[in-house]
Amino acid sequence: MRNEESALDIVQDAMMKLAEKYGDKPLEELPMLFQRILQNVIRDYYRRQKVRSLWTTLLSAFSGPEDDEHDPLETIESADSEHKSESPQAQLEQRQTLGVIEKEIEKLPPRQREAFLMRYWEEMDIAETAEAMGCSEGSVKTHCSRATHTLAAALAAKGITL
């Protein structure tokens, strides 16, 4: 994992899933079940990181000052001193690209848009998103996957590459 805190979180998530779903199983079955759950949680972690890094990379060009409060979907203020050094053409291109991204997100079906924004902008995990949406974790994964593929295809069709 290369990050002790992430590793501990993953093990804890796997233990919680084991206890919640398989607490009634015989003791001798638990090690194998735990191993499979742990592998799945690790796989989910890396998938989530891959998708997050994809969207973070795409939107990193639009980020403002190193500030936790910054929302990449807000329009870029031309009066911001950090952006004064950029050419007007670059600022215009960023605004136009942000506009395209916002429009494409708005075109997503409501459930896909909701899952996508909760997972990748609000950084909620799968369980939290599923609870907030009132659906299964599998549905959240499906909605996010479809939203990501739809957005990537729509942006590529408009000439926006990642």
Side-chain angles (χ1 to χ4, degrees):
M1 302 303 321
R2 295 189 181 119
N3 181 336
E4 187 175 344
E5 290 177 10
S6 295
L8 290 173
D9 287 343
I10 287 171
V11 171
Q12 183 178 5
D13 288 347
M15 297 276 295
M16 291 298 292
K17 287 181 182 183
L18 179 71
E20 289 171 0
K21 297 182 180 182
Y22 301 103
D24 58 338
K25 294 287 183 182
L27 197 57
E28 54 275 355
E29 291 180 22
L30 294 181
M32 291 177 65
L33 285 169
F34 178 74
Q35 182 66 28
R36 174 56 67 187
I37 292 169
L38 184 61
Q39 288 173 350
N40 289 338
V41 171
I42 291 170
R43 198 170 293 120
D44 287 345
Y45 172 83
Y46 281 114
R47 285 180 186 145
R48 187 170 49 248
Q49 290 302 104
K50 181 179 178 183
V51 173
R52 273 195 186 134
S53 69
L54 171 86
W55 288 103
T56 302
T57 301
L58 175 65
L59 296 173
S60 66
F62 308 113
S63 64
E66 293 301 318
D67 176 352
D68 290 339
E69 300 293 319
H70 180 72
D71 181 358
L73 292 180
E74 291 178 358
T75 55
I76 301 170
E77 298 178 19
S78 61
D80 188 345
S81 62
E82 296 268 336
H83 296 285
K84 285 184 179 178
S85 62
E86 293 181 13
S87 72
Q89 181 180 355
Q91 290 179 6
L92 176 64
E93 288 173 3
Q94 286 181 345
R95 284 191 190 108
Q96 289 172 340
T97 303
L98 273 175
V100 170
I101 293 170
E102 287 174 338
K103 286 178 185 171
E104 292 303 326
I105 289 174
E106 288 172 7
K107 289 179 186 177
L108 290 172
R111 298 291 281 178
Q112 287 181 20
R113 181 175 54 244
E114 181 181 18
F116 180 82
L117 292 174
M118 283 185 191
R119 293 280 294 124
Y120 305 116
W121 265 265
E122 298 297 326
E123 296 185 357
M124 296 170 72
D125 66 22
I126 294 170
E128 292 171 330
T129 304
E131 186 177 329
M133 292 178 65
C135 63
S136 70
E137 292 182 16
S139 293
V140 170
K141 292 176 185 178
T142 300
H143 291 311
C144 286
S145 175
R146 289 179 181 165
T148 301
H149 287 95
T150 301
L151 286 171
L155 295 175
K158 295 187 184 289
I160 299 173
T161 56
L162 305 176

